[in-house]
Amino acid sequence: MSSSKQMILGAQCTSYGASSSAWRNEAAAPDRLTNSDSIIESVKKAEEGKFHFIFMADHPALRDDISTSSPSSTIDPIVIASQLVHETNHIGIVLTQSTTFNYPYTVARQLKALDVLSNGRMGWNAVTTNDPRIGANYGETIAPRQERYARAHEFIQTVQALWGSFGQNAMKMDKERGIFADTSEIEPIFAQGQYVSSRGPLPIPASPQGQPVIFQAGGGAEGLELAVNYASGIYSIASDIESSRMHQAELKLMGERLGKNTEHINIFMGLIVTVGDTFEDALNKRRTMLNETVGGLEDKVMHLSQLVGLNIPYSMLHESLPEEWLAMLEAHPYQLHSQRAVNLFKQGYTVFDVLAHGVTDFHRTIIGSPIDIADEMQELFEDGGCDGFTISPDRYFDGLPDFVDKVIPELQKRGLYHTEYEGHTLRDHLNVPYQYGQN
Amino acid sequence: MSSSKQMILGAQCTSYGASSSAWRNEAAAPDRLTNSDSIIESVKKAEEGKFHFIFMADHPALRDDISTSSPSSTIDPIVIASQLVHETNHIGIVLTQSTTFNYPYTVARQLKALDVLSNGRMGWNAVTTNDPRIGANYGETIAPRQERYARAHEFIQTVQALWGSFGQNAMKMDKERGIFADTSEIEPIFAQGQYVSSRGPLPIPASPQGQPVIFQAGGGAEGLELAVNYASGIYSIASDIESSRMHQAELKLMGERLGKNTEHINIFMGLIVTVGDTFEDALNKRRTMLNETVGGLEDKVMHLSQLVGLNIPYSMLHESLPEEWLAMLEAHPYQLHSQRAVNLFKQGYTVFDVLAHGVTDFHRTIIGSPIDIADEMQELFEDGGCDGFTISPDRYFDGLPDFVDKVIPELQKRGLYHTEYEGHTLRDHLNVPYQYGQN
């Protein structure tokens, strides 16, 4: 990896934060689910930190027990993105839309509208959706994986064809001669697939980046194949150098198999971040958040038990493991955070403190001073073969400002991160080529 | 009709204006299709004029020949509504969504999100969609009318049930006790219809008006039945006192047949308005707009020929009809503007000038000084049995400001129109009761 290469950063900032108790803090905006003001504020803060994009996940079903924790999804991404587009000027906006529970014409139309309104800052994270609770909300069951991915190919191709159906020079707006558009450059697409069809055209002109950038988040061979064919960004679940390198190698291999260049596909590793003045200060914040979690702690202890291959009773929550147990701990090589959990126990941390380190989180959790965090990010970036990270602050109201105000300057000082937006579009930010239509 | 009753006004302000050449004027924002700034400006102007709501039509297909005229639909209503919600404080926002080419869960979710974000100012104009070009964009043919309406009933019921699935007091946000929501008040709906299904729940709390107001725009018995069952507002194509009264009587009759109260259903007549200092000044504006129309004039002359029952050659565009022709003119009692066109010819207007009066427009066109316009609106309102109007200015950039600055004060002076927003929600504006869920 060239030392002059700089990392690309995305921010996830639409719910209350990666911590499920983030909503309980007195500084958390109580109405983040029903009022966009605090979300807009977060995204403006991310823009102040020159984040290349924000990433909006979506989960159109109630999957969490919201009696004690906030739901992971918030206001519909299309609805909130429109306000974000209007309230920001530089940052890219990547939102998730399913290729299963949607019409290609709707996705093409809404995303291209947002792309022109934002002057070319939109991205689409195309997911196939495998949660039966989501399926049930749309009145359907979940089709087998292969079928979902076959539909996804058709769906994305149809959306891209619709995007390209309004010629790049078709819009004339010649008031003098009374010519609104050159309709010879606007053509139906007549897409007729096995799963989706659309005639078109879609009467929306090109944005400064042509059309939205496609992201992909699914795993496995099907996910890689989709990524190689259409994506410029991959939201990876890799959480360490090894798994990130493996993901990169698999992507390259799939590219070779399909005869496609994968150089322009950026891989982003998800990181949960807690910034403190010192490591101990950051860990204390994590302890507070864990303490504020109502319910679910027993589940976390069970999850931790699985990670280290030992049945830890809940009654031992605030104890360290006895010497003889430590010898029995066993890390699973392919299980996220397993080795880390074992190491933390061996350092003498209590069960509660091991959990406070984030070993049951969905992503890798980085805790520490701004320098600790920059060190860890630098190592992951330089040795991990990823192109950047999507940052999930533990709590948006303070975690994101802390990251922007304290960690970003440290990354910039090291030459690892840009100090200004170099271009104007999301394609500029990601260094991916202009695209219009399917080519 | 009680003289103390005041009219309710909606504004259509999302394309370039009712005139198909509006985009050509030097003052027209050229990028109204791709930039929301001028649309937001129009809606703010409508809010300054205390309009009760704006009405956003939708037509997700290219139906116009856009070589010389602008398309009638613009940015996706969901996308633009989100910005309008954020940029305004009082005005209601009614947007069109199809019950055919949509999932009920998506419509329920996006509209309720907009309703909470706007503090209860959203309305949904539910249409069944009968244009085969739209169907083709969604990969489908248009089902027979009865089937479309059967689906519409299921669709609206499912959306309403989803809206009511999150109990009105379910959101607790009790930070102290760590209780986010009372999940006993959040229940799946298990809707299983012939056309649509959805399990739910939809995790979005009630807005200050409960849920969005439903509008209906379709005609015929099926349209009336839909209106009587669900709507609080009807967008009527009635264009004169007689047809408006007939529409009202039919609605009442349908209400009696179905045993439903129709008192709270507001009927809005569509009006196209051109304001001048004098009648002649307004007519001159219309002449200019007609002159700026490129192509389509021959079609308009043919349309006019049908209206008056006489074949008028295009070569006579700038002539009045000879005396002997006038005697042969025949008005069709059920054809919009037919009698008016005959009258105008008898007053000696040229073919071009008769067209300039708007006799081939989709709605009734009112041309004149602020006092002329107020007079005509007053007569329609007091004798026509409608509850108000949706106003389509000929051109937004000047027609809407002229209406707000000149006609609104005249209506207010006569006590026909409010001078302040009396309430906060769209239900307040329309005088319709709070509703949550299906009841």
Side-chain angles (χ1 to χ4, degrees), chain B residues 385-401:
Chain B
C386 69
D387 300 279
F389 306 94
T390 54
I391 304 294
S392 297
D394 44 19
R395 303 187 296 215
Y396 293 122
F397 68 89
D398 63 350
L400 184 67

Side-chain angles (χ1 to χ4, degrees), chain A residues 93-363:
Chain A
I93 295 165
V94 182
L95 63 78
T96 300
Q97 284 282 291
S98 173
T99 56
T100 301
F101 303 112
N102 260 317
Y103 293 91
Y105 193 84
T106 304
V107 170
R109 185 182 185 216
Q110 295 186 335
L111 282 173
K112 201 174 182 200
L114 289 168
D115 204 39
V116 297
L117 290 177
S118 65
N119 289 314
R121 295 187 284 129
M122 288 304 297
W124 169 30
N125 178 40
V127 300
T128 65
T129 308
N130 63 5
D131 184 339
R133 288 166 296 198
I134 296 178
N137 284 341
Y138 292 90
E140 290 177 28
T141 53
I142 298 294
R145 186 175 176 84
Q146 289 221 313
E147 194 179 317
R148 290 204 318 277
Y149 275 88
R151 179 184 162 105
H153 280 270
E154 275 189 12
F155 196 103
I156 296 174
Q157 287 169 14
T158 305
V159 167
Q160 288 185 327
L162 285 167
W163 284 343
S165 66
F166 194 100
Q168 288 167 88
N169 301 308
M171 189 62 113
K172 298 299 179 197
M173 292 296 291
D174 182 340
K175 291 181 176 183
E176 194 59 43
R177 294 162 61 213
I179 297 173
F180 189 83
D182 178 355
T183 51
S184 73
E185 291 190 39
I186 303 169
E187 294 285 349
I189 64 165
F190 299 112
Q192 181 72 53
Q194 192 182 342
Y195 301 97
V196 296
S197 303
S198 184
R199 183 182 184 279
L202 177 70
I204 305 177
S207 84
Q209 70 171 356
Q211 65 196 27
V213 177
I214 294 179
F215 274 60
Q216 193 277 337
E222 294 89 348
L224 287 169
E225 201 182 327
L226 209 67
V228 164
N229 275 291
Y230 317 105
S232 303
I234 293 182
Y235 187 91
S236 168
I237 58 153
S239 64
D240 53 36
I241 290 171
E242 216 164 322
S243 59
S244 179
R245 279 187 175 166
M246 199 182 308
H247 196 163
Q248 197 193 31
E250 287 169 351
L251 180 73
K252 207 172 158 218
L253 215 63
M254 181 61 82
E256 282 161 12
R257 223 184 80 195
L258 302 177
K260 302 253 186 187
N261 188 343
T262 57
E263 261 171 43
H264 293 296
I265 307 180
N266 295 291
I267 300 182
F268 299 100
M269 196 191 287
L271 294 181
I272 295 171
V273 176
T274 299
V275 188
D277 293 332
T278 61
F279 175 81
E280 196 60 24
D281 178 43
L283 185 59
N284 274 333
K285 283 191 188 178
R286 301 276 309 178
R287 288 178 178 129
T288 303
M289 284 182 247
L290 194 59
N291 259 326
E292 285 176 351
T293 304
V294 179
L297 256 181
E298 295 195 32
D299 287 348
K300 283 187 201 289
V301 173
M302 268 172 60
H303 184 170
L304 179 56
S305 295
Q306 288 160 3
L307 284 181
V308 297
L310 191 79
N311 191 20
I312 303 166
Y314 183 69
S315 58
M316 283 182 69
L317 185 64
H318 291 289
E319 294 172 37
S320 302
L321 298 190
E323 197 75 34
E324 62 276 22
W325 290 26
L326 290 179
M328 291 152 57
L329 296 178
E330 208 177 323
H332 298 263
Y334 295 114
Q335 204 157 4
L336 182 61
H337 309 316
S338 179
Q339 185 61 58
R340 188 153 167 252
V342 170
N343 295 347
L344 290 166
F345 275 125
K346 290 188 173 166
Q347 287 170 50
Y349 281 109
T350 66
V351 175
F352 182 86
D353 274 357
V354 172
L355 287 174
H357 278 79
V359 297
T360 57
D361 290 349
F362 182 68
H363 290 301

